[in-house]
Amino acid sequence: MTELSPEEQALAEEVVAETPQRMGDLTSGPILKTLIAFSIPMLIGNLVQTINGFVNAIWVGRLIGEDALAATTNANVVMFLFFALVMGFGMASTVRIGQHYGAGDVIAARRSFGNGLGFAMALAVGSSVLGLIFAPAMLRLMAIPADSMNFAVTYLRVIFISIPFGTANMILSMGMRGVGDAKSPMYSMAIGVLLDVGLNPLFILGWGPIPAMGIGGSALASFVAGLGGMTFLLFQLYKRDLPLRLRGHEFAYLIPAGSELKYMISKGLPMGTSMLLMSSAQMVIVGLVNREGSHSTAAYGASMQLWNFLQMPAFAISSGVSAMVAQAIGAGKHERVAKVSNAGMLSNVMMTGVLSALLVLFSRPLLGLFLGAQSPAVDIAVHLQYIITWSFIVMGASMVVGGTLRAYGVVWLPLIIQTIALFPVRLGFYFGTYPELGSDALWWSFPIASCVSALGSWWLYTRGDWRKKQNEAYVAH
């Protein structure tokens, strides 16, 4: 375990005596009830955030046009590419925070939080600068339609300016979840959504002294929304004197160093690479979609807005499973791990399954909100729902298993499995069947890749030796 200096030991004893640190304890109580209670605020937050993207896509599609909607689809894929690596290091930091907090070591949890925040912010600033420079080149590599190019460049450059603030917001939220506080990030998301939804039409169309900024106004609204959410989290962190708040000499934790930096790099690098693979695979897919024409691009963009709803339960449950398992590791309660994972799998199948059925049933009127009921893209988008939607149930299962593996620091083998599913399997299926299936080869590559990834993840999960090895490594540390 982490060794403390005399000063830190004294402070730790003070924290134990005065801070209600067990308010976020996830190591006891009924497992399913605890998981659902912890996951619901994340689910609500994800729902609110997805509704935000849903409404903003309607604003962009209806107030500016179909070309602008296609532009935001491409630009958001590029933006996520830069967020991906930072997110991986944040996930590693969050797991470490959960392990320390489960062990009752609040000082070590703060050190992990500070290291993660400082490291992620440095990467975010670098990513922002690179993105501003290379945004047009990246969009050209994706074969974005010429009529959407100017929209996409304008939108993307404003988004890149906001990346450091979005990163701080993300790390703060993830850190709070690591110590069992899922409500503050939910409130932060709600504040951001209210700002984003309200400011989008105002900045797009202009009003009074505010000039009409078009698609750049949509990006600016997202920037202001992220800034508002980050401000709320910082306010909560210090007003409520939450366990991760830094004061005095603790601000030195923002400079990554020592064993925490080593853990963050050794575990965060493959996690970040995993996120990069997902985003780069998405860039490849969007490039292939673009080759099918602007109607297919718009259909895919509108479908993505609906699929975001399908991913919400899996994201929330996976994060909940990871937090509960990480704290159980720190507390030495390994007997809870399998029960937590099983509860997560059951919850995912039920929630994602119900949402999938509803989405397929009401897909046409929902898609018409983005594209207009008479758009040729609606028929394409409805077709996508029948082929792809059910695969999100399988994908969610992989994510839940991944949450358990991530909490134990098992990151390299999942990365290999994911790489095989996203590239050789998905692209191999596409290129191999395109002459016969046409564009359907692209759509069917989604469920094929999801099934391969799920089978590989389950195979890895059922191999029990990794649990003992990773636990021994944590205890030795």
Side-chain angles (χ1 to χ4, degrees):
M1 298 297 292
T2 305
E3 294 184 2
L4 303 180
S5 66
E7 181 181 17
E8 289 178 329
Q9 182 63 43
L11 183 58
E13 293 173 358
E14 178 183 344
V15 168
V16 170
E18 299 182 3
T19 301
Q21 57 175 309
R22 304 319 297 170
M23 66 181 180
D25 182 19
L26 303 175
T27 64
S28 59
I31 289 176
L32 182 59
K33 181 180 178 180
T34 302
L35 175 61
I36 296 209
F38 183 73
S39 299
I40 282 177
M42 288 187 287
L43 181 59
I44 294 173
N46 290 338
L47 174 62
V48 169
Q49 196 170 43
T50 302
I51 291 174
N52 177 36
F54 188 91
V55 173
N56 287 346
I58 294 174
W59 287 132
V60 171
R62 290 303 184 91
L63 297 181
I64 306 177
E66 209 171 86
D67 291 337
L69 180 59
T72 60
T73 300
N74 284 270
N76 285 333
V77 171
V78 176
M79 181 269 294
F80 184 74
L81 178 66
F82 282 86
F83 255 123
L85 185 60
V86 175
M87 192 180 300
F89 290 111
M91 290 166 66
S93 177
T94 300
V95 166
R96 201 60 171 164
I97 290 169
Q99 291 175 347
H100 290 317
Y101 195 68
D105 193 344
V106 179
I107 298 302
R110 287 178 185 168
R111 185 186 293 111
S112 293
F113 171 69
N115 273 236
L117 180 60
F119 192 75
M121 287 299 294
L123 287 175
V125 171
S127 296
S128 182
V129 172
L130 290 173
L132 289 170
I133 296 172
F134 295 109
M138 296 184 70
L139 290 167
R140 282 193 293 270
L141 284 174
M142 294 173 64
I144 183 172
D147 47 6
S148 299
M149 185 66 175
N150 290 335
F151 284 126
V153 171
T154 300
Y155 182 85
L156 191 56
R157 280 182 166 156
V158 178
I159 289 295
F160 272 124
I161 294 173
S162 71
I163 279 183
F165 302 95
T167 297
N169 198 357
M170 178 184 68
I171 299 298
L172 284 165
S173 296
M174 294 172 75
M176 287 181 171
R177 292 185 184 115
V179 294
D181 180 6
K183 291 184 178 180
S184 293
M186 177 187 69
Y187 296 139
S188 171
M189 287 184 186
I191 290 171
V193 166
L194 290 174
L195 289 171
D196 205 1
V197 170
L199 293 176
N200 245 278
L202 182 64
F203 287 170
I204 289 174
L205 298 176
W207 184 74
I210 300 175
M213 291 178 276
I215 198 168
S218 179
L220 180 60
S222 296
F223 167 68
V224 174
L227 184 61
M230 181 193 73
T231 302
F232 171 80
L233 286 178
L234 286 173
F235 177 75
Q236 287 292 302
L237 195 65
Y238 285 91
K239 178 188 177 183
R240 296 170 54 197
D241 196 28
L242 297 177
L244 293 183
R245 62 99 183 104
L246 303 179
R247 286 184 178 154
H249 75 279
E250 293 173 336
F251 283 109
Y253 297 158
L254 292 170
I255 302 174
S259 60
E260 296 298 339
L261 176 61
K262 180 180 178 181
Y263 181 89
M264 191 160 44
I265 292 177
S266 64
K267 305 302 181 184
L269 184 60
M271 290 183 191
T273 302
S274 174
M275 301 299 292
L276 284 171
L277 281 172
M278 291 175 62
S279 57
S280 61
Q282 181 70 346
M283 287 181 67
V284 172
I285 293 298
V286 170
L288 295 175
V289 172
N290 288 336
R291 287 171 171 80
E292 299 296 324
S294 59
H295 289 313
S296 290
T297 301
Y300 183 71
S303 295
M304 286 294 293
Q305 296 299 323
L306 299 184
W307 292 333
N308 284 335
F309 285 97
L310 286 184
Q311 297 180 73
M312 289 188 302
F315 275 123
I317 294 167
S318 174
S319 297
V321 167
S322 186
M324 288 183 69
V325 172
Q327 287 200 17
I329 293 170
K333 297 182 177 181
H334 298 273
E335 70 279 359
R336 286 174 64 89
V337 171
K339 296 177 182 178
V340 170
S341 299
N342 292 338
M345 295 281 284
L346 176 63
S347 301
N348 167 72
V349 169
M350 293 178 61
M351 298 169 90
T352 308
V354 169
L355 282 176
S356 297
L358 291 173
L359 180 56
V360 171
L361 186 61
F362 298 104
S363 59
R364 185 169 292 275
L366 290 172
L367 291 163
L369 293 174
F370 302 102
L371 304 167
Q374 305 305 316
S375 172
V378 172
D379 288 335
I380 299 174
V382 170
H383 182 61
L384 300 189
Q385 303 307 310
Y386 287 109
I387 295 176
I388 296 175
T389 297
W390 65 270
S391 67
F392 283 90
I393 302 174
V394 180
M395 185 185 302
S398 296
M399 292 174 62
V400 172
V401 171
T404 299
L405 296 171
R406 184 169 64 247
Y408 270 91
V410 180
V411 289
W412 287 107
L413 283 176
L415 175 61
I416 293 171
I417 293 170
Q418 182 185 48
T419 302
I420 293 171
L422 289 178
F423 289 97
V425 172
R426 175 179 285 183
L427 295 181
F429 178 87
Y430 167 76
F431 287 110
T433 61
Y434 191 84
E436 290 78 25
L437 299 179
S439 60
D440 275 358
L442 182 57
W443 314 138
W444 277 107
S445 71
F446 283 80
I448 294 297
S450 296
C451 289
V452 170
S453 178
L455 289 172
S457 297
W458 184 252
W459 167 81
L460 178 59
Y461 176 76
T462 54
R463 294 181 58 203
D465 58 336
W466 52 265
R467 302 186 191 190
K468 181 179 179 181
K469 292 177 181 177
Q470 295 299 327
N471 180 51
E472 289 173 350
Y474 174 71
V475 172
H477 168 78

